Amino acid sequence: KQEVTQIPAALSVPEGENLVLNCSFTDSAIYNLQWFRQDPGKGLTSLLLIQSSQREQTSGRLNASLDKSSGRSTLYIAASQPGDSATYLCAVRPEWETSGSRLTFGEGTQLTVNP
Amino acid sequence: EAQVTQNPRYLITVTGKKLTVTCSQNMNHEYMSWYRQDPGLGLRQIYYSMNVEVTDKGDVPEGYKVSRKEKRNFPLILESPSPNQTSLYFCASSRGLAERYQETQYFGPGTRLLVL
């Protein structure tokens, strides 16, 4: 059974700092990996999706990397801002999942960026 | 605006009183699914639907029912709610198999349910 772990569970940084969030998964047979952002009272917003054949994806100040063989992904946030404060979740879709969009989620990293 | 909507956003009910949480998407997505989020357990899939009239169980389907009579709607039904179904519920949608490599999931804002 796939298990997804995110470390750290919580992180507090001063504004302007570069930071890395970690995600690891136990079964490397994945189809893709997504990073989401969750704000209180709102749903999840997809930030980046990396296919299993890709190594990284970039969007603005965000860069996500994937090392499928070692079961790890990182989300790099450059020049963090208070508006980046949220919970960040990673989720993997299994390789065998051909009939649905089942995702296995980590529990998230709660990020606080202090002004 | 492309979105997934859920209603109600907050609900307090009592054990055994049937309830329905609605979910609707305006993106013509084929896939829809329901998740619940609990502290220490993360997000877990309850049910999903590949298309109209096609539904299947996720990881935690017990105590829930769904239906997909129309492409845009995917209601979650709790026939006899129990306190262990107190949770934060999310509906999500994504494109179909033809777009499987670009299947970013779009989530609704969540429904917070308390069963007394």
Side-chain angles (χ1 to χ4, degrees), chain A residues 37-45 89 105, chain B residues 4-6 8-9 21-24 32-38 42-48 64 66 74 76 87-93 105-113:
Chain A
R37 169 186 173 137
Q38 184 175 16
D39 294 281
K42 298 184 180 179
L44 281 68
T45 302
L89 299 159
F105 283 84
Chain B
V4 179
T5 57
Q6 296 178 226
R9 294 289 313 280
V21 183
T22 64
C23 173
S24 181
M32 297 187 74
S33 58
W34 277 101
Y35 293 86
R36 61 179 288 175
Q37 186 177 34
D38 303 287
L43 274 143
R44 295 174 293 169
Q45 192 179 56
I46 302 170
Y47 267 95
Y48 66 92
Y64 303 94
V66 292
F74 190 44
L76 179 69
S87 187
L88 179 59
Y89 292 87
F90 288 103
C91 179
S93 72
Q105 290 214 7
Y106 297 84
F107 281 75
T111 294
R112 191 167 290 280
L113 172 65

Side-chain angles (χ1 to χ4, degrees), chain B residues 2-68:
Chain B
Q3 59 182 354
V4 179
T5 57
Q6 296 178 226
N7 282 292
R9 294 289 313 280
Y10 304 92
L11 180 61
I12 301 174
T13 189
V14 295
T15 299
K17 186 177 182 182
K18 180 179 179 180
L19 66 93
T20 299
V21 183
T22 64
C23 173
S24 181
Q25 49 91 7
N26 62 1
M27 295 169 278
N28 202 37
H29 283 167
E30 291 185 359
Y31 287 120
M32 297 187 74
S33 58
W34 277 101
Y35 293 86
R36 61 179 288 175
Q37 186 177 34
D38 303 287
L41 297 173
L43 274 143
R44 295 174 293 169
Q45 192 179 56
I46 302 170
Y47 267 95
Y48 66 92
S49 169
M50 293 168 54
N51 213 324
V52 176
E53 302 293 0
V54 181
T55 63
D56 208 346
K57 297 177 181 178
D59 297 317
V60 287
E62 295 77 21
Y64 303 94
K65 285 176 58 177
V66 292
S67 69
R68 187 92 182 272

Side-chain angles (χ1 to χ4, degrees), chain A residues 5-88:
Chain A
T5 304
Q6 291 187 245
I7 296 173
L11 181 63
S12 182
V13 300
E15 182 177 2
E17 196 160 292
N18 301 325
L19 58 99
V20 174
L21 307 180
N22 297 291
C23 172
S24 61
F25 44 96
T26 55
D27 186 348
S28 62
I30 66 167
Y31 205 86
N32 57 41
L33 180 145
Q34 273 187 262
W35 282 93
F36 292 88
R37 169 186 173 137
Q38 184 175 16
D39 294 281
K42 298 184 180 179
L44 281 68
T45 302
S46 179
L47 299 173
L48 291 164
L49 184 149
I50 310 178
Q51 304 301 337
S52 59
S53 58
Q54 296 176 322
R55 285 292 215 173
E56 63 179 310
Q57 281 282 350
T58 298
S59 175
R61 294 182 294 107
L62 305 179
N63 176 278
S65 68
L66 175 64
D67 185 342
K68 183 182 169 183
S69 60
S70 67
R72 288 187 289 191
S73 176
T74 62
L75 179 66
Y76 174 83
I77 303 177
S80 58
Q81 304 170 357
D84 294 331
S85 298
T87 297
Y88 291 81

